[in-house]
Amino acid sequence: RNTDPIDAVEARIQVGDAEAKSAVPPGATEVALKLDLPAGKTKMDTRFRDKAGKERGAFFVYAKRL
C-alpha cells in the first residue's frame, strides 16, 4: 500500500450515471467513496483535483461489494 500523501484537494468517482466526490484532507493517503450501483456492465472514471484545478486519474481503485 502506498503511504505517500495524495496531492489533491478533491476526489471524484463516476460509475455509469452514479457519482460521488469528497474533499481530500491534507496529508491523506487514501479516500473512501461509496456508491449504490445497479448490476451490469458500465464504465468508471476517477479524478483527483489539486489546488490549481489540475485533474488526474487515480492510480489504483479498490472496490468491494457491501
Side-chain angles (χ1 to χ4, degrees), residues 10-42:
E10 183 181 71
R12 180 182 64 81
I13 186 169
Q14 183 172 356
V15 181
D17 293 331
E19 184 175 356
K21 60 184 173 180
S22 176
V24 178
T29 59
E30 63 184 39
V31 178
L33 300 167
K34 184 177 177 181
L35 292 171
D36 291 320
L37 302 172
K41 290 184 179 184
T42 190

mmCIF file of all heavy atoms in Angstrom, residues 10-42:
data_model
loop_
_atom_site.group_PDB
_atom_site.id
_atom_site.type_symbol
_atom_site.label_atom_id
_atom_site.label_comp_id
_atom_site.label_asym_id
_atom_site.label_seq_id
_atom_site.Cartn_x
_atom_site.Cartn_y
_atom_site.Cartn_z
ATOM 1 N N GLU A 10 -9.628 17.428 -3.843
ATOM 2 C CA GLU A 10 -10.926 16.789 -4.064
ATOM 3 C C GLU A 10 -10.741 15.487 -4.827
ATOM 4 O O GLU A 10 -9.913 15.399 -5.731
ATOM 5 C CB GLU A 10 -11.855 17.713 -4.862
ATOM 6 C CG GLU A 10 -13.245 17.126 -5.059
ATOM 7 C CD GLU A 10 -14.143 18.043 -5.873
ATOM 8 O OE1 GLU A 10 -13.909 18.168 -7.098
ATOM 9 O OE2 GLU A 10 -15.042 18.644 -5.279
ATOM 10 N N ALA A 11 -11.531 14.473 -4.456
ATOM 11 C CA ALA A 11 -11.559 13.192 -5.155
ATOM 12 C C ALA A 11 -12.963 12.983 -5.704
ATOM 13 O O ALA A 11 -13.945 13.337 -5.055
ATOM 14 C CB ALA A 11 -11.203 12.057 -4.202
ATOM 15 N N ARG A 12 -13.041 12.398 -6.911
ATOM 16 C CA ARG A 12 -14.337 12.144 -7.525
ATOM 17 C C ARG A 12 -14.300 10.810 -8.253
ATOM 18 O O ARG A 12 -13.290 10.438 -8.837
ATOM 19 C CB ARG A 12 -14.672 13.241 -8.535
ATOM 20 C CG ARG A 12 -16.011 13.063 -9.221
ATOM 21 C CD ARG A 12 -16.281 14.153 -10.246
ATOM 22 N NE ARG A 12 -15.342 14.160 -11.360
ATOM 23 C CZ ARG A 12 -15.412 13.349 -12.415
ATOM 24 N NH1 ARG A 12 -16.361 12.440 -12.511
ATOM 25 N NH2 ARG A 12 -14.517 13.449 -13.375
ATOM 26 N N ILE A 13 -15.418 10.087 -8.201
ATOM 27 C CA ILE A 13 -15.566 8.857 -8.975
ATOM 28 C C ILE A 13 -16.923 8.895 -9.658
ATOM 29 O O ILE A 13 -17.913 9.371 -9.089
ATOM 30 C CB ILE A 13 -15.423 7.597 -8.088
ATOM 31 C CG1 ILE A 13 -15.434 6.333 -8.957
ATOM 32 C CG2 ILE A 13 -16.509 7.539 -7.024
ATOM 33 C CD1 ILE A 13 -15.039 5.074 -8.218
ATOM 34 N N GLN A 14 -16.948 8.423 -10.896
ATOM 35 C CA GLN A 14 -18.202 8.283 -11.625
ATOM 36 C C GLN A 14 -18.244 6.879 -12.193
ATOM 37 O O GLN A 14 -17.301 6.436 -12.851
ATOM 38 C CB GLN A 14 -18.303 9.309 -12.755
ATOM 39 C CG GLN A 14 -19.631 9.231 -13.472
ATOM 40 C CD GLN A 14 -19.831 10.362 -14.464
ATOM 41 O OE1 GLN A 14 -18.997 11.253 -14.576
ATOM 42 N NE2 GLN A 14 -20.926 10.324 -15.171
ATOM 43 N N VAL A 15 -19.331 6.180 -11.898
ATOM 44 C CA VAL A 15 -19.547 4.829 -12.417
ATOM 45 C C VAL A 15 -20.925 4.855 -13.073
ATOM 46 O O VAL A 15 -21.938 4.997 -12.388
ATOM 47 C CB VAL A 15 -19.484 3.762 -11.308
ATOM 48 C CG1 VAL A 15 -19.694 2.376 -11.900
ATOM 49 C CG2 VAL A 15 -18.154 3.833 -10.565
ATOM 50 N N GLY A 16 -20.939 4.769 -14.394
ATOM 51 C CA GLY A 16 -22.206 4.932 -15.109
ATOM 52 C C GLY A 16 -22.765 6.314 -14.818
ATOM 53 O O GLY A 16 -22.066 7.321 -14.952
ATOM 54 N N ASP A 17 -24.013 6.376 -14.359
ATOM 55 C CA ASP A 17 -24.648 7.656 -14.019
ATOM 56 C C ASP A 17 -24.450 8.051 -12.557
ATOM 57 O O ASP A 17 -24.846 9.141 -12.161
ATOM 58 C CB ASP A 17 -26.153 7.589 -14.314
ATOM 59 C CG ASP A 17 -26.435 7.481 -15.809
ATOM 60 O OD1 ASP A 17 -25.621 7.980 -16.606
ATOM 61 O OD2 ASP A 17 -27.471 6.896 -16.175
ATOM 62 N N ALA A 18 -23.866 7.171 -11.752
ATOM 63 C CA ALA A 18 -23.663 7.446 -10.316
ATOM 64 C C ALA A 18 -22.345 8.182 -10.115
ATOM 65 O O ALA A 18 -21.333 7.859 -10.737
ATOM 66 C CB ALA A 18 -23.665 6.150 -9.523
ATOM 67 N N GLU A 19 -22.366 9.182 -9.238
ATOM 68 C CA GLU A 19 -21.160 9.958 -8.976
ATOM 69 C C GLU A 19 -21.056 10.270 -7.487
ATOM 70 O O GLU A 19 -22.063 10.481 -6.820
ATOM 71 C CB GLU A 19 -21.188 11.275 -9.766
ATOM 72 C CG GLU A 19 -19.937 12.089 -9.623
ATOM 73 C CD GLU A 19 -19.927 13.331 -10.500
ATOM 74 O OE1 GLU A 19 -20.854 13.543 -11.293
ATOM 75 O OE2 GLU A 19 -18.962 14.097 -10.376
ATOM 76 N N ALA A 20 -19.830 10.286 -6.978
ATOM 77 C CA ALA A 20 -19.565 10.680 -5.596
ATOM 78 C C ALA A 20 -18.284 11.488 -5.584
ATOM 79 O O ALA A 20 -17.379 11.260 -6.392
ATOM 80 C CB ALA A 20 -19.418 9.451 -4.697
ATOM 81 N N LYS A 21 -18.220 12.466 -4.679
ATOM 82 C CA LYS A 21 -16.983 13.236 -4.524
ATOM 83 C C LYS A 21 -16.804 13.589 -3.066
ATOM 84 O O LYS A 21 -17.741 13.560 -2.276
ATOM 85 C CB LYS A 21 -16.968 14.478 -5.409
ATOM 86 C CG LYS A 21 -18.054 15.464 -5.166
ATOM 87 C CD LYS A 21 -17.940 16.585 -6.197
ATOM 88 C CE LYS A 21 -19.120 17.522 -6.093
ATOM 89 N NZ LYS A 21 -19.030 18.608 -7.067
ATOM 90 N N SER A 22 -15.545 13.905 -2.727
ATOM 91 C CA SER A 22 -15.214 14.193 -1.345
ATOM 92 C C SER A 22 -13.982 15.093 -1.305
ATOM 93 O O SER A 22 -13.115 15.009 -2.180
ATOM 94 C CB SER A 22 -14.909 12.895 -0.598
ATOM 95 O OG SER A 22 -14.492 13.159 0.722
ATOM 96 N N ALA A 23 -13.915 15.928 -0.281
ATOM 97 C CA ALA A 23 -12.697 16.697 -0.035
ATOM 98 C C ALA A 23 -11.605 15.729 0.408
ATOM 99 O O ALA A 23 -11.874 14.709 1.038
ATOM 100 C CB ALA A 23 -12.949 17.741 1.051
ATOM 101 N N VAL A 24 -10.374 16.046 0.058
ATOM 102 C CA VAL A 24 -9.218 15.244 0.477
ATOM 103 C C VAL A 24 -8.497 16.029 1.571
ATOM 104 O O VAL A 24 -7.965 17.104 1.315
ATOM 105 C CB VAL A 24 -8.261 14.976 -0.701
ATOM 106 C CG1 VAL A 24 -7.044 14.195 -0.229
ATOM 107 C CG2 VAL A 24 -8.980 14.237 -1.818
ATOM 108 N N PRO A 25 -8.472 15.512 2.802
ATOM 109 C CA PRO A 25 -7.785 16.218 3.890
ATOM 110 C C PRO A 25 -6.274 16.293 3.647
ATOM 111 O O PRO A 25 -5.701 15.381 3.044
ATOM 112 C CB PRO A 25 -8.073 15.356 5.124
ATOM 113 C CG PRO A 25 -9.203 14.457 4.750
ATOM 114 C CD PRO A 25 -9.125 14.288 3.262
ATOM 115 N N PRO A 26 -5.625 17.360 4.083
ATOM 116 C CA PRO A 26 -4.168 17.448 3.936
ATOM 117 C C PRO A 26 -3.475 16.241 4.566
ATOM 118 O O PRO A 26 -3.842 15.805 5.654
ATOM 119 C CB PRO A 26 -3.810 18.729 4.699
ATOM 120 C CG PRO A 26 -5.063 19.543 4.693
ATOM 121 C CD PRO A 26 -6.190 18.538 4.742
ATOM 122 N N GLY A 27 -2.515 15.674 3.848
ATOM 123 C CA GLY A 27 -1.768 14.523 4.354
ATOM 124 C C GLY A 27 -2.448 13.181 4.153
ATOM 125 O O GLY A 27 -1.898 12.151 4.529
ATOM 126 N N ALA A 28 -3.648 13.159 3.552
ATOM 127 C CA ALA A 28 -4.370 11.897 3.354
ATOM 128 C C ALA A 28 -3.599 10.973 2.415
ATOM 129 O O ALA A 28 -2.964 11.417 1.469
ATOM 130 C CB ALA A 28 -5.756 12.167 2.786
ATOM 131 N N THR A 29 -3.655 9.681 2.687
ATOM 132 C CA THR A 29 -3.033 8.684 1.822
ATOM 133 C C THR A 29 -4.066 7.842 1.095
ATOM 134 O O THR A 29 -3.719 6.991 0.284
ATOM 135 C CB THR A 29 -2.110 7.754 2.636
ATOM 136 O OG1 THR A 29 -2.872 7.115 3.654
ATOM 137 C CG2 THR A 29 -0.960 8.536 3.252
ATOM 138 N N GLU A 30 -5.359 8.073 1.396
ATOM 139 C CA GLU A 30 -6.433 7.375 0.708
ATOM 140 C C GLU A 30 -7.729 8.148 0.890
ATOM 141 O O GLU A 30 -7.844 8.987 1.789
ATOM 142 C CB GLU A 30 -6.616 5.947 1.229
ATOM 143 C CG GLU A 30 -7.031 5.883 2.693
ATOM 144 C CD GLU A 30 -7.113 4.454 3.199
ATOM 145 O OE1 GLU A 30 -6.254 3.630 2.820
ATOM 146 O OE2 GLU A 30 -8.036 4.165 3.950
ATOM 147 N N VAL A 31 -8.681 7.873 0.017
ATOM 148 C CA VAL A 31 -10.011 8.473 0.094
ATOM 149 C C VAL A 31 -11.010 7.355 -0.153
ATOM 150 O O VAL A 31 -10.851 6.570 -1.093
ATOM 151 C CB VAL A 31 -10.192 9.582 -0.969
ATOM 152 C CG1 VAL A 31 -11.586 10.151 -0.914
ATOM 153 C CG2 VAL A 31 -9.165 10.679 -0.782
ATOM 154 N N ALA A 32 -12.028 7.261 0.687
ATOM 155 C CA ALA A 32 -13.066 6.241 0.519
ATOM 156 C C ALA A 32 -14.354 6.921 0.060
ATOM 157 O O ALA A 32 -14.814 7.882 0.672
ATOM 158 C CB ALA A 32 -13.301 5.498 1.824
ATOM 159 N N LEU A 33 -14.921 6.421 -1.024
ATOM 160 C CA LEU A 33 -16.181 6.924 -1.550
ATOM 161 C C LEU A 33 -17.133 5.743 -1.702
ATOM 162 O O LEU A 33 -16.707 4.637 -2.041
ATOM 163 C CB LEU A 33 -15.969 7.603 -2.910
ATOM 164 C CG LEU A 33 -15.021 8.797 -2.894
ATOM 165 C CD1 LEU A 33 -14.648 9.189 -4.315
ATOM 166 C CD2 LEU A 33 -15.649 9.969 -2.177
ATOM 167 N N LYS A 34 -18.409 5.979 -1.459
ATOM 168 C CA LYS A 34 -19.398 4.895 -1.506
ATOM 169 C C LYS A 34 -20.470 5.235 -2.523
ATOM 170 O O LYS A 34 -20.976 6.354 -2.555
ATOM 171 C CB LYS A 34 -20.025 4.715 -0.126
ATOM 172 C CG LYS A 34 -20.982 3.554 -0.029
ATOM 173 C CD LYS A 34 -21.491 3.406 1.395
ATOM 174 C CE LYS A 34 -22.514 2.297 1.481
ATOM 175 N NZ LYS A 34 -23.039 2.159 2.839
ATOM 176 N N LEU A 35 -20.800 4.244 -3.368
ATOM 177 C CA LEU A 35 -21.839 4.397 -4.381
ATOM 178 C C LEU A 35 -22.784 3.215 -4.332
ATOM 179 O O LEU A 35 -22.352 2.084 -4.102
ATOM 180 C CB LEU A 35 -21.226 4.436 -5.789
ATOM 181 C CG LEU A 35 -20.378 5.624 -6.180
ATOM 182 C CD1 LEU A 35 -19.700 5.344 -7.519
ATOM 183 C CD2 LEU A 35 -21.228 6.860 -6.284
ATOM 184 N N ASP A 36 -24.050 3.464 -4.581
ATOM 185 C CA ASP A 36 -25.020 2.390 -4.799
ATOM 186 C C ASP A 36 -25.127 2.199 -6.306
ATOM 187 O O ASP A 36 -25.472 3.139 -7.032
ATOM 188 C CB ASP A 36 -26.393 2.759 -4.220
ATOM 189 C CG ASP A 36 -26.386 2.788 -2.707
ATOM 190 O OD1 ASP A 36 -25.744 1.897 -2.110
ATOM 191 O OD2 ASP A 36 -27.006 3.685 -2.128
ATOM 192 N N LEU A 37 -24.816 0.998 -6.779
ATOM 193 C CA LEU A 37 -24.771 0.745 -8.216
ATOM 194 C C LEU A 37 -25.716 -0.373 -8.621
ATOM 195 O O LEU A 37 -25.845 -1.365 -7.899
ATOM 196 C CB LEU A 37 -23.351 0.353 -8.632
ATOM 197 C CG LEU A 37 -22.255 1.354 -8.313
ATOM 198 C CD1 LEU A 37 -20.895 0.748 -8.610
ATOM 199 C CD2 LEU A 37 -22.470 2.622 -9.104
ATOM 200 N N PRO A 38 -26.337 -0.244 -9.782
ATOM 201 C CA PRO A 38 -27.144 -1.346 -10.298
ATOM 202 C C PRO A 38 -26.224 -2.433 -10.861
ATOM 203 O O PRO A 38 -25.062 -2.163 -11.194
ATOM 204 C CB PRO A 38 -27.971 -0.695 -11.410
ATOM 205 C CG PRO A 38 -27.129 0.450 -11.875
ATOM 206 C CD PRO A 38 -26.387 0.930 -10.655
ATOM 207 N N ALA A 39 -26.746 -3.623 -10.981
ATOM 208 C CA ALA A 39 -25.975 -4.718 -11.570
ATOM 209 C C ALA A 39 -25.774 -4.459 -13.058
ATOM 210 O O ALA A 39 -26.584 -3.792 -13.695
ATOM 211 C CB ALA A 39 -26.711 -6.037 -11.368
ATOM 212 N N GLY A 40 -24.664 -4.959 -13.595
ATOM 213 C CA GLY A 40 -24.427 -4.861 -15.027
ATOM 214 C C GLY A 40 -23.111 -4.185 -15.361
ATOM 215 O O GLY A 40 -22.428 -3.642 -14.506
ATOM 216 N N LYS A 41 -22.768 -4.234 -16.639
ATOM 217 C CA LYS A 41 -21.526 -3.641 -17.124
ATOM 218 C C LYS A 41 -21.682 -2.130 -17.225
ATOM 219 O O LYS A 41 -22.760 -1.625 -17.533
ATOM 220 C CB LYS A 41 -21.175 -4.199 -18.495
ATOM 221 C CG LYS A 41 -20.749 -5.642 -18.465
ATOM 222 C CD LYS A 41 -20.322 -6.082 -19.843
ATOM 223 C CE LYS A 41 -19.860 -7.524 -19.811
ATOM 224 N NZ LYS A 41 -19.357 -7.961 -21.124
ATOM 225 N N THR A 42 -20.579 -1.436 -16.981
ATOM 226 C CA THR A 42 -20.575 0.022 -17.067
ATOM 227 C C THR A 42 -19.137 0.505 -17.190
ATOM 228 O O THR A 42 -18.219 -0.304 -17.301
ATOM 229 C CB THR A 42 -21.276 0.648 -15.836
ATOM 230 O OG1 THR A 42 -21.468 2.036 -16.069
ATOM 231 C CG2 THR A 42 -20.497 0.422 -14.566
#
